[in-house]
Amino acid sequence: MSQTVARTRPRTKAAAARKFVYDFEEGNAEMRGLLGGKGAGVAEMTRAGLPVPPGFTITTEACLAYLQKGTFPEGMMEEVRAHLQKLEAAAGRRFGDPKDPLLVSVRSGAAFSMPGMMDTVLNLGLNETTLEGLARTTGDLRFARDAYRRFVQMYGRIVLGIEGELFDEELEAAKRRQGVKTDAELDPPSLEQLASTYRAIIERRTGNPFPEEPWEQLTGAIAAVFSSWNGKRAIAYREYNHIPHTLGTAVNVQAMVFGNMGEDSGTGVAFTRDPSTGERRLYGEYLLNAQGEDVVAGIRTPQPIATLESSLPTVYRQFQEIAERLERHYRDVQDMEFTIERGKLYMLQTRTGKRTAAAAVKIAVDMVDEGLITREEALSRVEPEQVDHLLHRAIDPGAEVKVLAQGLAASPGAATGSAVFDADRAEEMAKKGQRSILVRIETNPDDVHGMIAAEGVLTSRGGRTSHAAVVARGMGKPCVAGCDGIRVDLEKRRFVADGVTVKEGDLITIDGTTGRVIQGSVPMVEAGVSGDLEKLLKMADQVRRLRIFANADTPEDARRAREFGAQGIGLCRTEHMFMQQERLPHVQAMILAQDAAARREALNQLLPFQRDDFLGILEAMQGLPVIIRLIDPPLHEFLPSHDDLLEEVTRLRALKKSGKKLQRAERLLAAVEELREQNPMLGLRGCRLGLLFPEIIEMQVRAIAEAASQLRQRRVRAIPEIMVPLVGHAEELRRSRLVIEATLKQVAKEQGVRFETKIGTMIEVPRAALTAGAIAEHAQFFSFGTNDLTQMTFGVSRDDAEGKFLRRYVDDGILPANPFEHLDPEGVGRLMGLAVQEGRGTRPDLEVGICGEHGGDAQSIAICERLGLDYVSSSPFRVPGARLAAAQARLAESRSKDV
Amino acid sequence: MSQTVARTRPRTKAAAARKFVYDFEEGNAEMRGLLGGKGAGVAEMTRAGLPVPPGFTITTEACLAYLQKGTFPEGMMEEVRAHLQKLEAAAGRRFGDPKDPLLVSVRSGAAFSMPGMMDTVLNLGLNETTLEGLARTTGDLRFARDAYRRFVQMYGRIVLGIEGELFDEELEAAKRRQGVKTDAELDPPSLEQLASTYRAIIERRTGNPFPEEPWEQLTGAIAAVFSSWNGKRAIAYREYNHIPHTLGTAVNVQAMVFGNMGEDSGTGVAFTRDPSTGERRLYGEYLLNAQGEDVVAGIRTPQPIATLESSLPTVYRQFQEIAERLERHYRDVQDMEFTIERGKLYMLQTRTGKRTAAAAVKIAVDMVDEGLITREEALSRVEPEQVDHLLHRAIDPGAEVKVLAQGLAASPGAATGSAVFDADRAEEMAKKGQRSILVRIETNPDDVHGMIAAEGVLTSRGGRTSHAAVVARGMGKPCVAGCDGIRVDLEKRRFVADGVTVKEGDLITIDGTTGRVIQGSVPMVEAGVSGDLEKLLKMADQVRRLRIFANADTPEDARRAREFGAQGIGLCRTEHMFMQQERLPHVQAMILAQDAAARREALNQLLPFQRDDFLGILEAMQGLPVIIRLIDPPLHEFLPSHDDLLEEVTRLRALKKSGKKLQRAERLLAAVEELREQNPMLGLRGCRLGLLFPEIIEMQVRAIAEAASQLRQRRVRAIPEIMVPLVGHAEELRRSRLVIEATLKQVAKEQGVRFETKIGTMIEVPRAALTAGAIAEHAQFFSFGTNDLTQMTFGVSRDDAEGKFLRRYVDDGILPANPFEHLDPEGVGRLMGLAVQEGRGTRPDLEVGICGEHGGDAQSIAICERLGLDYVSSSPFRVPGARLAAAQARLAESRSKDV
């Protein structure tokens, strides 16, 4: 982007007759390179016919010339003088006029907003003489003296580079002397004395008296703005953000206007539409006979903008008209600052107005109806994340809350309930109709019934892919995970956070959208898909190319996903089904089986459960594809925790207990030890399990095939597809496929039906992407498992890293973003691109999608669109946002192709 | 390869006048596609002028035509008959002649050696009549009857496809009837009866009488060979090995010769040079008046080949001459089978002779001296692995051993000693001058003094990168790791394997080259670099392009590496230095430090140790580069084991103990818990540590810089280079580099010297390879850490997988090889290629090497040569083998470029 801007500046440095100064009327929004962002913005407002206080901009070229030679380029100050004269004429005041002086603001403004550069000097042109004129015209001596005192201070600090503390100390001393507490109470004599002390400081530090002469003030301010381009912090900021040092900054000089010149003056802010609801009406507030500072100081209460109609009807009508013109000009809601000086309205600033998610949707849809913007523009006006938030209950943005701790935003939405510390207790409360929040260090399959019963889940350990997070997201329940700011004491049934002890039964609120843990209950904003959202999403559907699938493991999730507009299930995990309490014993028997026969016996017990699972999901999604992933996690995840067993065995042995209990624990511990791995993520899981124990695959495929066949008999169109996880070598897939196909054939024969079931694979191991051409020979579809692919490509375990170095990495800017939230385009994205290209090279009709967490993230969806994927699959609640993001990605992609 | 062979067959299937049969004189070694491997080989021998029993080959084309139509192609059998007549003339016998019958062997022979196809039918042409002639000419009725009995059995089983058990049962019955134990004791009447029973079986099973007519036998055998191409096992084998089904097999028909036709007949085997020592003399043995079976049966003791000179001087001279001619023709040592029939020498087979490592080296060097082969050829005659073995003591190949269990070959060489079960005991024994083998479940830093004291290490758990394996390789000590066939009971100080209990003090031998654990002591072959090896490696040095570096962490290792020819240290791990006992407390204090000041204090304690380490290594390698890798492993590796602490705490709590011991244990457990990770390989380690705790890098870099500066003052040329591990994003390297450079500058200033220290990075995370262009902006060199790169690219944790599914994967052929032993060219190799290309795109003089275990593996070195790496780095003992492998790789690479 920086390059583009750089190019808009003329290339020849030695242009014969250069123009260094532009009146606001001469510029426009396109001239950012030459006039800087601020200069171009105010020029655009002027161009739009708004009553903007007049002024001019000195170009970035002048700045560069100054920095090169150390002096202003020839002729520049002459131009400034000429433009100043025009400014005097426009403002009807003269610079340095003791009776009614023209005062100006001087601001830096580069092509990019850049902290570290000189900001703003207000009221330039004030001195001991002109302040009297200001006092007269405003009728407010105190205001004039204070304006002068502040100007001297600002000029000293910003333009002359004197440490601000020196001025601050004197200000404190003055208040002590006068015996008052706030700046506002200082009386004119104190302010006069203060200005005089400030000038003395300046003379002492710089060796020169304070420049009382306005022209000299202006010259100094311009030079200071230019020099601030090469300030230490500015250079560091550019280095960090890769902004070229060769751009330079412009200087904006603008007439000051005053809202405190009587009851026909005033100041205020307003939106063209209501930023909370999106309703089309002026929304804002103002104060008569006041300056901006008065609004900030909060001494007087501002009035709603509508009342301006009665107090200053002409101004109000003018303002209404301007507001409408601004909306038309910028084609979006505007957030405006204005000042009325003696009955004359001045627009000081206008910018795109921030709005709530609900307002964003309504405004976008309304503006299409009004013919103000196109459907494509409407789609770009709402962030997909805003859509996500609309679908979850949220804490009222206006509510005051006591935040106890900050954890990971692991599953969105907010919930309030009594803190409980075990799953059974949550269940008991639910039976009594009471709401609870389940608080645990971590969760495991034994806690699932408690998670179902509770309103939300809070854990002190684990990342966004921890058991708690994944299961909560699946259930659509709020979850805050890895909240290391709370110290959980399960035995004493309480936790401590920020010095507060929360005992069982105490009310807490969690906000899974932001990760906050809040004391007590707070007002909420309910969720829902409004008619406007419906309309917007329909527009998105007409534009997007990507299909939107959902990740769902239960019929309820599948139904919800379908209601939200999912066109299929992109990831149906089969192992969460194993975690349910009534099945776990069979799963454990299967794992602990000593031979294939015993394993098969245990699997036979599981078959009916698994078949029922598939029946439900396939029926809910009838007519749409359901991609079912075969078992993926390492087997020890289904067994009790190693540490618990070790503790139990050690305790029993220490107490010299023997007997069945110890034996049982020892046997289980030995089995867990056997399966234990140093790096389970890279261990015996995924298709590796199925290749070692084909019986497991056979059972799962049989369950799928039998379910599909039962539905077929009931004339329900079930479209299961089978996905093999963690393939790294084509041969793994080829052999898995043999087992799957044999089982499908067998069931088809038994049931007397014909199946055509697609078989595909996850691409989640880097090697799979690197050998996608060979793998595609055995796969009808690819689904990128970008969680694991990111972990392996970065060599980063998400659960371990997210609470530790990864947060630091993002905070310190080592990584531009958390790659588990937004797909990494250079590394992971490159592998994906390779896989798409080479997979389709082998099999042109290969279907390619993504089913990692990234499937619901707008930035990632944009990458998927660019790579030509066929679909993205996200959790059900993210489906609506994904529909919008896919449309936006499509539009961006067509634009980039047009260029 | 299959493609090449396929192409050598003529493309037009309907050639006008096709020739289906070739005399051995007509073919040559190039005609594998048409004549099969065996046919081409025997033709080549004939062409070389050797007295080969005459015969002919029926082409693969004939086979394909037969398979297509189900009948022999027109004219084929006429050709066979014509060639058979020529054969009769050459052999001086006629087919079916009752007096002196021509007998033939019929063998299949495809372009590739292929189990699952018909193998060999001997003595075809025998029947009740001709066997009488054979009896007469050999003077051995029993031999003739037995030959016939065997022929009928072989024909029945192989040609007619009758289950072998039917014949075996009858054979057993015959022995029972005659009351003998071995086949050799069966007398002519029994044999006659057996043949008759066999014929009856055949008639019953096939519905046709056994074909007594020789021509019919031959026709049947040819058809059977052709059909065997489409046998179930043959097809499966081809599928598995990706051999096209369209190749077909040839049929070889060859005259039988007999060594049992009197005292002027005989049979034997011989090498052209001594295969144990390489000495240039005929080496082998023979038996007069005997067939090959007699040698195998071991009833008579064969004579050394030299005695043939006195028994049959003419034949001996002829054989000597042939042996020399064969060596000249094939330009390598030949392993020959011969038969003398009535004073006439027949060569039955010659093939390249297998030889010991020592012989291979001597023969290669001698043959160059003799002008027989070029230096380039000599280099290809020795396997780099053989060089590795020459450098380690080995178990005498002739020794009889009782193998108790098989583990992983984790560090080469063999050692004998008393089994001991803890490190202290090993040290005690060493002090008394007694040898021990340290047996543990796993080892950790506490065991290192025991590993130093013991002769070798045996563990029941852990892979080739386990602590035991890595440390043992570093020490050059034999190690067998992950030997799950032994059940270690540390408390009772014993292990059980294969039903044998080995108690402390019992002698055992471990073979780290093969992974065997052997009972008792066994004879050994000592190691050493011979003068011949020296010569060969010098030749290699002249040819190779790749530089050979070594991985070494101690001055001793560095010196050894240099003696073996290392041109630098490619990987000096700094963390093994931390593991030493006197340093561990400081390391632990550093880890447990609550703030940077405390951490810095502990690091100050470590600084002198670390500086001394570097002093030693840099001095040992003076004038050569030493690449030092900054700390890499996760910090918990330096702390006591979590499980041990958990047990201790649980025990103390169960016994209601309190006090300091429990407190200390609890505190330590909490600290370990804090650092514990679910997947430590993907956790807080490598450069991530240094970015979080820059003090650690500062200390390490200071130690390096101070050591280099001290040496500089002593005029020792130290060339340290600094390597940053586990970089995945360019920004990680850029920031690490800032810390390193600042420290180098600081030390340079303090010491008043100037450094130019190269700074580079490991490429061991897939993302680093994928973004190598950006990373190269901050790296002067890349070093591929292919252990981790393989783990992450495959998504496989080596330690977890090697004992579990990875072995199964390789055994079952899911993976062509263990990717931790031989670099995976498609996945990991592709990433490396990308990184080399794009890294050099950014920085053309980027040095690129490899320092994973693959650096010492010949196949992997070939890939490194192809990718244009600058060096490979291996463990010191693998340096000589790597020198050879690099030369071989270079030669292969030039050849492939010539083509």
Side-chain angles (χ1 to χ4, degrees), chain B residues 197-395:
Chain B
T197 312
Y198 284 176
R199 287 205 310 271
I201 290 175
I202 289 172
E203 186 159 357
R204 204 166 54 244
R205 301 294 285 199
T206 65
N208 291 311
F210 178 77
E212 284 276 295
E213 159 57 32
W215 179 254
E216 197 186 333
Q217 290 172 357
L218 182 60
T219 310
I222 294 170
V225 172
F226 282 168
S227 301
S228 73
W229 177 256
N230 278 341
K232 218 167 157 182
R233 277 180 55 217
I235 289 175
Y237 181 85
R238 288 198 298 273
E239 299 250 313
Y240 187 84
N241 290 282
H242 305 287
I243 297 175
H245 297 306
T246 52
L247 298 179
T249 180
V251 183
N252 299 294
V253 178
Q254 187 175 25
M256 299 287 302
V257 290
F258 296 96
N260 55 348
M261 290 199 169
E263 287 303 312
D264 59 350
S265 299
T267 190
V269 292
F271 286 77
T272 53
R273 306 195 185 208
D274 186 329
S276 306
T277 64
E279 208 184 327
R280 191 179 181 187
R281 63 180 182 97
L282 274 180
Y283 176 97
E285 50 194 26
Y286 72 102
L287 268 175
L288 286 185
N289 198 15
Q291 276 291 82
E293 300 96 282
D294 301 322
V295 182
V296 177
I299 297 166
R300 290 162 57 195
T301 308
Q303 302 296 308
I305 193 77
T307 63
L308 187 65
E309 186 163 15
S310 51
S311 49
L312 292 172
T314 324
V315 170
Y316 182 72
R317 273 195 301 280
Q318 194 194 351
F319 184 68
Q320 265 189 319
E321 196 198 301
I322 284 173
E324 260 181 56
R325 201 190 314 158
L326 273 171
E327 256 205 11
R328 275 202 306 279
H329 185 78
Y330 289 104
R331 314 174 74 232
D332 203 350
V333 172
Q334 294 300 301
D335 169 0
M336 305 160 291
E337 284 177 33
F338 62 93
T339 285
I340 308 160
E341 187 181 273
R342 293 173 184 148
K344 181 158 166 43
L345 177 65
Y346 287 103
M347 301 303 294
L348 299 185
Q349 188 168 27
T350 186
R351 54 188 169 195
T352 303
K354 288 207 165 43
R355 62 208 83 176
T356 64
V361 172
K362 179 169 171 50
I363 290 167
V365 172
D366 284 355
M367 284 188 169
V368 171
D369 288 346
E370 293 161 22
L372 189 59
I373 59 174
T374 64
R375 284 161 172 256
E376 286 71 21
E377 280 172 304
L379 291 171
S380 74
R381 293 291 167 80
V382 181
E383 293 293 325
E385 250 196 8
Q386 293 181 306
V387 175
D388 290 355
H389 294 170
L390 277 180
L391 301 175
H392 291 99
R393 202 145 48 118
I395 290 172

Side-chain angles (χ1 to χ4, degrees), chain B residues 362-581:
Chain B
K362 179 169 171 50
I363 290 167
V365 172
D366 284 355
M367 284 188 169
V368 171
D369 288 346
E370 293 161 22
L372 189 59
I373 59 174
T374 64
R375 284 161 172 256
E376 286 71 21
E377 280 172 304
L379 291 171
S380 74
R381 293 291 167 80
V382 181
E383 293 293 325
E385 250 196 8
Q386 293 181 306
V387 175
D388 290 355
H389 294 170
L390 277 180
L391 301 175
H392 291 99
R393 202 145 48 118
I395 290 172
D396 187 331
E400 277 197 17
V401 297
K402 157 79 175 143
V403 175
L404 294 176
Q406 176 74 39
L408 297 171
S411 177
T416 296
S418 307
V420 297
F421 294 83
D422 69 84
D424 293 341
R425 185 86 187 99
E427 209 170 40
E428 283 165 31
M429 291 194 62
K431 279 184 190 148
K432 291 190 225 154
Q434 289 167 346
R435 294 173 179 212
S436 68
I437 302 290
L438 179 62
V439 184
R440 302 283 295 167
I441 295 172
E442 283 176 304
T443 64
N444 64 45
D446 293 341
D447 296 317
V448 171
H449 63 291
M451 297 176 72
I452 293 170
E455 298 295 306
V457 184
L458 166 61
T459 66
S460 60
R461 208 187 279 162
R464 285 194 185 81
T465 47
S466 63
H467 178 265
V470 171
V471 175
R473 276 200 300 275
M475 294 176 178
K477 285 207 178 174
C479 173
V480 173
C483 184
D484 51 14
I486 68 170
R487 238 175 37 247
V488 179
D489 188 333
L490 292 177
E491 269 177 56
K492 297 194 176 141
R493 303 181 159 268
R494 67 184 190 193
F495 73 81
V496 181
D498 197 22
V500 175
T501 300
V502 174
K503 294 189 300 295
E504 182 154 284
D506 291 353
L507 275 185
I508 57 169
T509 298
I510 59 171
D511 184 352
T513 309
T514 61
R516 290 178 300 172
V517 179
I518 293 162
Q519 191 169 22
S521 73
V522 291
M524 299 276 184
V525 182
E526 289 301 323
V529 178
S530 70
D532 285 325
L533 179 54
E534 199 68 53
K535 276 192 206 167
L536 187 78
L537 293 176
K538 285 267 156 57
M539 290 184 211
D541 292 344
Q542 285 164 9
V543 165
R544 68 184 158 90
R545 183 190 61 77
L546 280 168
R547 277 177 293 150
I548 310 297
F549 284 17
N551 301 347
D553 310 340
T554 64
E556 300 75 56
D557 278 358
R559 270 191 290 275
R560 178 150 49 203
R562 197 166 188 161
E563 276 162 27
F564 283 149
Q567 297 164 281
I569 300 300
L571 175 62
C572 174
R573 279 171 287 243
T574 53
E575 58 271 10
H576 291 153
M577 304 169 179
F578 284 10
M579 296 273 190
Q580 291 178 33
Q581 279 214 313

Side-chain angles (χ1 to χ4, degrees), chain B residues 814-831:
Chain B
I814 298 176
L815 288 179
N818 179 340
F820 296 105
E821 288 172 17
H822 306 302
L823 258 182
D824 155 47
E826 290 92 15
V828 180
R830 183 174 188 188
L831 279 180

Side-chain angles (χ1 to χ4, degrees), chain A residues 240-471:
Chain A
Y240 188 83
N241 289 283
H242 306 287
I243 297 174
H245 297 305
T246 53
L247 298 180
T249 179
V251 182
N252 300 294
V253 178
Q254 187 174 25
M256 299 287 301
V257 289
F258 297 96
N260 55 348
M261 290 199 171
E263 286 304 311
D264 59 349
S265 299
T267 191
V269 293
F271 285 77
T272 53
R273 305 194 186 209
D274 186 330
S276 307
T277 63
E279 208 184 325
R280 193 181 179 187
R281 61 179 182 101
L282 274 181
Y283 177 98
E285 51 195 23
Y286 73 103
L287 268 176
L288 287 186
N289 198 15
Q291 277 288 84
E293 299 98 280
D294 302 320
V295 182
V296 177
I299 297 166
R300 292 163 55 196
T301 308
Q303 303 296 310
I305 193 78
T307 63
L308 187 62
E309 187 165 14
S310 51
S311 49
L312 292 172
T314 324
V315 171
Y316 183 73
R317 272 193 302 279
Q318 195 194 351
F319 184 68
Q320 267 187 319
E321 194 198 304
I322 286 173
E324 260 183 53
R325 200 190 314 158
L326 273 170
E327 257 204 12
R328 274 202 307 278
H329 186 79
Y330 290 103
R331 315 174 74 229
D332 202 352
V333 172
Q334 295 300 301
D335 167 0
M336 306 160 290
E337 285 177 30
F338 63 92
T339 285
I340 308 160
E341 189 182 272
R342 293 175 186 147
K344 184 163 164 40
L345 177 66
Y346 287 102
M347 301 302 295
L348 299 184
Q349 191 170 25
T350 187
R351 54 188 169 195
T352 304
K354 290 206 166 42
R355 62 208 84 176
T356 63
V361 171
K362 178 170 173 47
I363 290 167
V365 171
D366 284 354
M367 284 187 170
V368 172
D369 289 345
E370 294 161 20
L372 190 58
I373 58 175
T374 62
R375 285 161 172 255
E376 286 71 22
E377 280 172 304
L379 290 170
S380 74
R381 294 287 169 82
V382 181
E383 294 295 323
E385 252 194 7
Q386 294 180 305
V387 174
D388 289 356
H389 294 169
L390 276 181
L391 302 174
H392 290 98
R393 202 147 43 121
I395 290 172
D396 187 330
E400 276 196 20
V401 299
K402 157 80 175 147
V403 175
L404 294 175
Q406 176 73 40
L408 298 171
S411 177
T416 297
S418 307
V420 296
F421 295 83
D422 68 83
D424 294 341
R425 186 85 187 97
E427 213 171 37
E428 283 165 31
M429 291 195 61
K431 279 183 193 151
K432 290 189 225 151
Q434 290 166 343
R435 294 173 178 211
S436 68
I437 303 289
L438 180 61
V439 184
R440 302 284 295 168
I441 295 172
E442 285 175 303
T443 63
N444 65 44
D446 294 341
D447 297 317
V448 171
H449 63 291
M451 297 175 73
I452 293 171
E455 298 295 305
V457 184
L458 166 62
T459 67
S460 60
R461 209 186 277 161
R464 285 194 186 79
T465 47
S466 62
H467 178 266
V470 171
V471 175

Side-chain angles (χ1 to χ4, degrees), chain A residues 643 676 732 809 830 838, chain B residues 643 676 732 809 830 838:
Chain A
D643 288 3
R676 203 182 183 198
E732 291 177 310
Y809 262 39
R830 184 174 187 184
E838 297 178 12
Chain B
D643 288 2
R676 204 180 182 199
E732 291 178 310
Y809 262 40
R830 183 174 188 188
E838 297 178 12

